[in-house]
Amino acid sequence: MRILGINALFHDPAAALVVDGRIVAAAEEERFSRRKHGKRPVPFSAWELPEKAAVWCMEQAGLRPQDLDAVAYSFDPALARPAASMGLQDPWDHLRLTYARQAPGFLHTALPGLDPDAVRFVPHHMAHAASAAVAAPGAETSSVLVLDGRGEATSHLAARRTGDRLEPLYGQELPHSLGLVYEELTEYLGFLRASDEYKVMALASYGTPRMLPELRRHVFATGDGGFHATGVPWGELCPALRSGQAWSQAHADLAASVQVCLEETLLDLVRWLHGRTHDRVLTLAGGVALNCVANSRIACEGPFDRVWVQPAAGDAGTALGGALLLSSEGGERPGPMTGADLGRHWSDAELEAWLKTAAVPFERPTDVAETVAEALADDAIIAWFQGRSEYGPRALGHRSLLAHPGRSGNLERLNAVKGREQFRPVAPMVLAERAAEIFDGPLPSPYMLFVHGVTPDWRDRIPAVVHVDGTARIQTVDTAAEPLVARMLTAFERRTGLPVVVNTSLNTSGRPMVDDPRDALECFGSAPVDLLAIGPFVIRRGALFAGGRTDTALPTGT
């Protein structure tokens, strides 16, 4: 079967293609449109579709819209109820539902040749669940927990996968929503709702959870698989922040209190689920599953032996999950997700043509990994553009900014380059076989979805990646899966004695992650980055602005 998955209704529009059970491609529309998150999550944008992402996915398999057997749309309007009846203050939600019902016609217009009858509505949280339980390696029998802001009428799903079957066990009805509570907090602290929740998680590390007793009155597990999460009196806890205002200790304490309350509630839900299934493996999806601090508590304190989190855990992942669910229901046995590198890529010849068209001076060193390692050892900041782009919000060694972790000033330096708040951390990447001696937490961690304690002996050696609470959100690098990144890390350690490199996303504040060569060149040209490694080629900032030669393609050493 040839199945296209579409996420469009709320936020992070995306498309994914599954052919005969194999994941062919997956991409978010923001990488094409250059609009962060693709669009704002308001009813008036619900009609917008991931047209460019969908066309690109089909091109990867040489398909036309009329060749598709099915299109999975990750929301089922038949399951929805009026917002007011669910206790939600969203007077225009009926517009969102109207657009959802018309999705087959909209898709037919956006993808000429598509049969509208091929469009199948997939329940939102079932699409999330499949993106985790079906995509996870070694999860043929597993439990799955989905938590986000909202779906059709619920905000949560506990389920179990046994072979080809995905069985729902419990769904928490709205207005109770852990995701919406965290969104409310994000907005209350002056950040952008349904966008900047990760900033709140970072800020929480600067606070103490002294408001936890009050929060526990409003957010708690109910013991039956569900929870209460609504009615938090924010104004009684601390003053609101307007966008751009400086935060105080009270705001950090509020963030810390909500974070701990969330973690406690999630642990109760996980324990309830394990009591029903007694499985060894837990898979997670939904926007709340991007909270890597909570994920680590679930992995370390929960009853499951292994926890796997979908790298595109937010709504973008429902495009893949919807396609996988229809594939499984069609009698196929979908293969697991082997990596998040499911997006666009260019051959060496295509990259060279881009560079020549841009008339920039470039080199082709003998080994780009050695050249980058040498520059990093000299404290350069590197823009790293290699292979297929990542699906999901994390830079995982394909579209990254790299720096020396041993220089404490590099945290402030990178945040200045990206235009970010200075309280936000940057992450380390490390060879998988070296991780256990430096970091304490769930291993391996290839998708940067857990936090780890940094062992005391290493905190002073890699200060740029150690957060204020002594933790780091690491990415472990498997040599077989990522040979070029592994070679760069090995070369850097040979020069510095450090098997760790700073890795943060290749973008600047308010912009999506770099995706194509033009994006990379624009970002490199506008930000104080020292070297761009794009495929086997490198561009040096000094040469770019000195007007050097534009056609250097012979090996120049390392």
Side-chain angles (χ1 to χ4, degrees):
M1 294 177 66
R2 294 156 293 192
I3 305 170
L4 180 69
I6 294 289
N7 171 64
L9 196 68
F10 293 114
H11 52 82
D12 296 306
L17 183 68
V18 173
V19 177
D20 298 332
R22 182 176 67 89
I23 302 171
V24 174
E28 296 164 74
E29 188 72 3
E30 69 163 22
R31 309 298 171 84
F32 299 83
S33 70
R34 310 310 299 158
R35 294 169 59 196
K36 186 75 170 177
H37 296 295
K39 61 182 181 180
R40 290 301 299 140
V42 295
F44 304 99
S45 70
W47 63 271
E48 296 183 42
L49 296 167
E51 299 178 34
K52 292 181 173 64
V55 169
W56 175 80
C57 284
M58 288 186 291
E59 287 174 348
Q60 302 316 292
L63 297 178
R64 302 165 300 167
Q66 53 265 43
D67 299 326
L68 296 171
D69 295 303
V71 175
Y73 185 84
S74 59
F75 185 90
D76 187 350
L79 301 177
R81 302 199 308 269
S85 72
M86 297 186 292
L88 300 177
Q89 300 299 315
D90 194 350
W92 290 100
D93 190 55
H94 66 276
L95 187 61
R96 182 183 283 120
L97 297 182
T98 296
Y99 287 147
R101 295 185 188 100
Q102 298 302 319
F106 289 161
L107 284 163
H108 170 70
T109 300
L111 305 174
L114 176 68
D115 181 357
D117 291 337
V119 179
R120 302 233 337 244
F121 292 118
V122 176
H124 186 71
H125 289 124
M126 286 295 285
H128 268 309
S131 79
V134 179
E140 289 77 13
T141 299
S142 58
S143 301
V144 56
L145 190 65
V146 173
L147 291 126
D148 63 3
R150 60 165 294 193
E152 294 87 354
T154 61
S155 68
H156 146 273
L157 175 67
R160 189 184 195 207
R161 179 192 177 189
T162 50
D164 296 333
R165 188 168 178 234
L166 193 57
E167 177 190 5
L169 299 176
Y170 193 96
Q172 176 58 57
E173 293 191 355
L174 293 164
H176 301 285
S177 170
L178 294 171
L180 289 182
V181 166
Y182 216 90
E183 285 185 21
E184 290 173 7
L185 172 65
T186 300
E187 187 173 47
Y188 195 75
L189 293 178
F191 301 120
L192 186 61
R193 182 174 184 150
S195 173
D196 292 346
E197 282 70 25
Y198 55 91
K199 297 181 183 181
V200 176
M201 184 176 64
L203 182 61
S205 298
Y206 290 82
T208 57
R210 61 183 176 85
M211 304 171 193
L212 190 56
E214 175 63 24
L215 282 161
R216 285 173 175 154
R217 296 175 53 206
H218 305 279
V219 179
F220 53 87
T222 51
D224 57 358
F227 50 86
H228 183 285
T230 189
V232 178
W234 303 110
E236 298 177 13
L237 299 173
C238 77
L241 273 177
R242 290 190 297 272
S243 179
Q245 275 189 314
W247 56 273
S248 69
Q249 189 59 50
H251 298 108
D253 291 348
L254 176 60
S257 301
V258 174
Q259 176 66 35
V260 173
C261 191
L262 171 72
E263 295 164 15
E264 291 178 347
T265 307
L266 291 176
L267 279 168
D268 284 341
L269 296 176
V270 165
R271 290 169 182 140
W272 177 90
L273 180 56
H274 185 264
R276 288 287 302 272
T277 67
H278 305 289
D279 290 327
R280 294 182 58 254
V281 179
L282 172 69
T283 65
L284 298 173
V288 175
L290 292 173
N291 191 304
C292 54
V293 178
N295 293 345
S296 291
R297 283 200 67 182
I298 290 171
C300 295
E301 300 177 36
F304 290 90
D305 296 338
R306 180 165 76 93
V307 177
W308 190 90
V309 186
Q310 164 57 240
D315 273 9
T318 64
L320 176 61
L324 290 172
L325 188 64
L326 292 191
S327 175
S328 182
E329 290 178 350
E332 297 175 335
R333 179 61 67 90
M337 188 172 177
T338 58
D341 52 335
L342 296 170
R344 289 190 287 179
H345 67 288
W346 285 263
S347 68
D348 292 353
E350 289 170 328
L351 290 174
E352 185 171 13
W354 271 91
L355 298 177
K356 289 182 175 179
T357 298
V360 295
F362 65 93
E363 309 164 16
R364 184 167 188 163
T366 303
D367 186 349
V368 70
E370 290 283 349
T371 298
V372 166
E374 181 176 1
L376 286 169
D378 289 338
D379 206 26
I381 291 180
I382 309 297
W384 177 264
F385 183 106
Q386 303 292 337
R388 299 185 70 168
S389 60
E390 298 93 341
Y391 183 48
R394 307 284 191 245
L396 301 169
H398 294 253
R399 305 290 187 271
S400 296
L401 278 172
L402 310 177
H404 195 310
R407 313 287 170 82
S408 59
N410 277 342
L411 170 59
E412 182 176 352
R413 188 178 170 201
L414 280 168
N415 280 334
V417 166
K418 290 167 66 72
R420 307 194 319 174
E421 298 86 355
Q422 285 297 338
F423 64 79
R424 292 172 56 187
V426 291
M429 56 166 52
V430 59
L431 287 172
E433 59 268 26
R434 301 296 303 279
E437 67 187 84
I438 306 170
F439 303 104
D440 179 24
L443 295 172
S445 182
Y447 299 129
M448 212 182 287
L449 286 165
F450 299 94
V451 295
H452 297 69
V454 183
T455 59
D457 291 345
W458 279 92
R459 291 181 185 179
D460 291 337
R461 298 183 65 185
I462 52 173
V465 297
V466 182
H467 197 29
V468 65
D469 58 0
T471 66
R473 187 186 67 196
I474 77 170
Q475 177 197 353
T476 55
V477 176
D478 180 86
T479 302
E482 298 285 353
L484 180 62
V485 177
R487 201 161 70 245
M488 179 271 294
L489 286 168
T490 301
F492 181 74
E493 182 180 14
R494 191 166 63 247
R495 288 169 168 83
T496 65
L498 302 176
V500 174
V501 165
V502 177
N503 171 31
T504 188
S505 56
L506 182 52
N507 68 333
T508 52
S509 181
R511 298 285 291 164
M513 210 183 309
V514 159
D515 197 76
D516 74 10
R518 183 189 302 277
D519 305 332
L521 289 166
E522 288 178 351
C523 186
F524 179 65
S526 63
V529 175
D530 299 300
L531 184 147
L532 168 62
I534 180 166
F537 308 104
V538 299
I539 305 171
R540 301 179 189 273
R541 191 165 195 82
L544 177 65
F545 289 99
R549 289 179 60 195
T550 64
D551 60 350
T552 306
L554 295 175
T556 58
T558 60

